[in-house]
Amino acid sequence: MITFTNRQARQFILLKQGLIGEHKFTGKQGAYDFARQAGCIQYDPIDICGRNAELNLQSRVKGFRREMLYALLYEDRLLLDYPDKNTSIIPTEDWPMFTRPRRAARDRAAQHKELRGLMDRTLDFIRERGPVSPDDLQLESNFKWRAHIVWSSGNNLSASVMEQLYGAGDLVVHRKQGARKFYDLAERHIPAHILNATDPLENDFKFRKWTALKRVGAIGLLWPRSSEALWRMGVPAIKELFAALENDGKIAAATVEGINGPFYFRSEDMPLAEYVLTDPLLKPRCEVLAPLDCFIWDRTLIKALFGYHYSWEIYTPAANRKYGHYVLPLLYGDAFVGRVEAVADRKAGVLTVKNIWYEAGVRETKKLKTAIDGCLKRLAKFNDCKEMVYL
């Protein structure tokens, strides 16, 4: 069993994430490589200084531009919008692994004759018209339906039916225009050998085990506790899954000095663990993280390892916010040094830094200020802003 100091554990995760030292991921290929490593990047349409998925990549991928993600999703089709951990982006190659959720969506719809009729009408419409948004198809019916997907369709029947077909795998998101989604037939965009592949996961336990292994890889180092990382899994089930993965040789155990464990990492990352144990000197980088970044899915883990608590306050009433509407974690080296609120006005070409809150005990040195300023200038450039101003 590997034994990390607290600092070594932090460095292991950050190296795995590509958030410390020289950039591990570069350009469009790097964006794809990180998406494959994470297995799932959460999508959120809110765009204050970049959408969540874009910020996820901007912090790790040298030279990342938002059009790279668009191309991977809607031109190359190497990535795919699909529910995993809430609304997400997944590698298209993982499509066969989601056979069970798609089957569950179809089984649920099969219980409602009127819904099946609406679905057939929708498929015929798209087959004839090509990619459409729910606004292009006005279904009329007294039938009420809400798909079990985290898109917000409200009372729009056309959107709900399209979301149902999307969850069942008949449709994919063809493209997005802002928050507006256009759907098309999955068969037109997913290669046949992937679309028609048999389910490689024979039962529900194997599906959950695959998901747990993916989450370990997404974070780097994870403990068998309930969290947003292991979404909808209880502690007894998580421990059973981790034990099975360890028995399969897929994950290896570790301890972290001063923290109750155990912790686990993917066995393929053993060379990285052994490297970290040599206490390498790593070049610090300053990065802002996305609010739903996979790195911070397990907030309790981040608190234990980094002494940092992050809460996304966007849905908190303004009077109850401690910080601000869209505040991002601020990372420097192997520590969280604070959080920042920045707003991009792309029409004016200005990124406004509304506030920076430093963590208790963090000294605002010239070196730190220079690093943060450089980080925010990169954020401004990413948002096509030529000017950055501090309030």
Side-chain angles (χ1 to χ4, degrees), residues 9-17 219-221 295 305-306:
R10 299 198 311 268
Q11 290 185 336
F12 175 84
I13 295 177
L14 291 167
L15 281 167
K16 174 73 174 178
Q17 292 285 335
I219 294 178
L221 191 67
F295 172 34
L305 287 175
F306 291 85

Side-chain angles (χ1 to χ4, degrees), residues 88-106:
S88 300
I89 293 168
I90 66 168
T92 303
E93 65 190 285
D94 284 348
W95 175 265
M97 305 295 191
F98 290 89
T99 300
R100 305 186 83 77
R102 291 196 299 273
R103 185 184 303 135
R106 289 195 295 271

